[in-house]
Amino acid sequence: MARVDVMGTWGTEIFADDHADDVRADWRDGLLGGHDPVALSAQLIDQNARLDRGAEESIVFWVALAAAQHETGWLQPDVQATAVDLIDRGGDVARWAAEDSELAASRQAELARLRAKLTGPPRAPSALIRSVDHGVRFEVGDAVLLTAASGVRAVAVVVAQDPGGTARPVIEVLLWDDDGSLPSRRFLATAPVVHTDSEAVKPVDGPPRVRPALHTMITPTRETAFGPRLGRLLARGIPRRPSADLRDGTLTAGEAVVTYLTWPALIVHIESDEFVHERQLTRDAVQRPRRRFGFRRL
């Protein structure tokens, strides 16, 4: 099956794309910073033109900017006209059609819904409130022990930081058989990451791909923050790099599956039958640890 060769895309929704999400964030941050909407719009358009991202990424930019402006009540006429024209020309549906007809149809429906909003009654400008980050800050190399109320445990290592900041760590959950003792530093540095066969659309001509599963941990509320009821810090300074390129990981493309989860949702996952299935997939897919280090045991 063909891939969608668009870096950082995880769904057909308007903002399910790193570039689109960044455009919305830049627009909202600018408004929160007190910038005039007309001047801010012109600034973002100029920045996009200078980056020369290519035709498909340019479509993503205009569609995302129009959507972001509409939802805040500051839709600019030139942005509206450009986005509607691009949607009428087919938008970026072709890139999804290269992956799967169902994905293409889903993207087309998303664009049609946005077009209806853009050409409908304008929204009144809304007062924006800067979001509060409830996340607990981790550093790359931190290892955590996750513990469910049932007693099921798992270990994970922070291998990167999401551009949102150190309160949004990217973690790998490791293939660990809990025998009651804690894993060594060597194990935390070399053990295989748990793999998954999750796909946005299951292939019809063969089994789904088995890829490393990485998780960007988000904390939208205080109730989802990492704490003693969910786990504890196990070690620091574990020399472990990501198992795959994080910029190219989605449910539809890339060498890894990169998801966005809250800590409680991850706890639920490690107790699930799906996690048992993923552990077996990993045993079948990975033959030996990828690196060896001579660290002392914790």
Side-chain angles (χ1 to χ4, degrees), residues 201-230:
V201 177
K202 300 293 184 183
V204 296
D205 55 353
R209 291 168 294 172
V210 176
R211 296 176 287 166
L214 291 88
H215 309 289
T216 300
M217 306 311 298
I218 58 175
T219 312
T221 65
R222 287 187 179 90
E223 290 72 27
T224 57
F226 185 87
R229 78 187 192 287
L230 302 176

Side-chain angles (χ1 to χ4, degrees), residues 69-287:
Q69 290 184 352
H70 175 268
E71 68 182 14
T72 57
W74 290 106
L75 180 60
Q76 303 300 304
D78 58 332
V79 175
Q80 176 192 39
T82 301
V84 169
D85 179 64
L86 288 171
I87 292 172
D88 288 344
R89 292 170 181 264
D92 59 348
V93 173
R95 66 172 179 160
W96 296 97
E99 172 75 13
D100 184 90
S101 60
E102 291 184 16
L103 289 175
S106 176
R107 179 63 172 182
Q108 192 168 32
E110 290 290 335
L111 292 174
R113 281 190 285 270
L114 176 61
R115 188 190 189 284
K117 293 178 182 179
L118 298 179
T119 57
R123 297 184 60 173
S126 57
L128 299 182
I129 301 175
R130 194 174 296 278
S131 60
V132 176
D133 193 344
H134 299 285
V136 174
R137 296 185 177 274
F138 289 96
E139 301 298 331
V140 173
D142 285 353
V144 296
L145 176 69
L146 304 167
T147 306
S150 64
V152 173
R153 302 195 303 177
V155 291
V157 178
V158 178
V159 294
Q161 300 288 2
D162 183 79
T166 54
R168 298 181 66 177
V170 180
I171 67 169
E172 293 184 349
V173 179
L174 308 184
L175 181 62
W176 175 53
D177 294 317
D178 185 5
D179 62 0
S181 61
L182 296 179
S184 67
R185 293 183 66 90
R186 177 175 177 237
F187 177 90
L188 295 171
T190 63
V193 57
V194 171
H195 286 51
T196 183
D197 58 357
S198 294
E199 296 269 23
V201 177
K202 300 293 184 183
V204 296
D205 55 353
R209 291 168 294 172
V210 176
R211 296 176 287 166
L214 291 88
H215 309 289
T216 300
M217 306 311 298
I218 58 175
T219 312
T221 65
R222 287 187 179 90
E223 290 72 27
T224 57
F226 185 87
R229 78 187 192 287
L230 302 176
R232 66 179 178 84
L233 184 67
L234 190 59
R236 291 190 182 276
I238 301 300
R240 185 181 185 96
R241 293 189 299 273
S243 297
D245 187 349
L246 298 172
R247 299 169 302 172
D248 190 21
T250 73
L251 286 175
T252 59
E255 59 186 73
V257 174
V258 183
T259 62
Y260 287 79
L261 287 178
T262 63
W263 291 102
L266 181 59
I267 293 294
V268 171
H269 179 65
I270 67 172
E271 294 183 288
S272 69
D273 292 340
E274 178 64 20
F275 189 63
V276 174
H277 168 69
E278 290 175 348
R279 286 166 53 83
Q280 188 57 52
L281 283 178
T282 307
R283 291 189 182 92
D284 294 340
V286 181
Q287 299 301 315

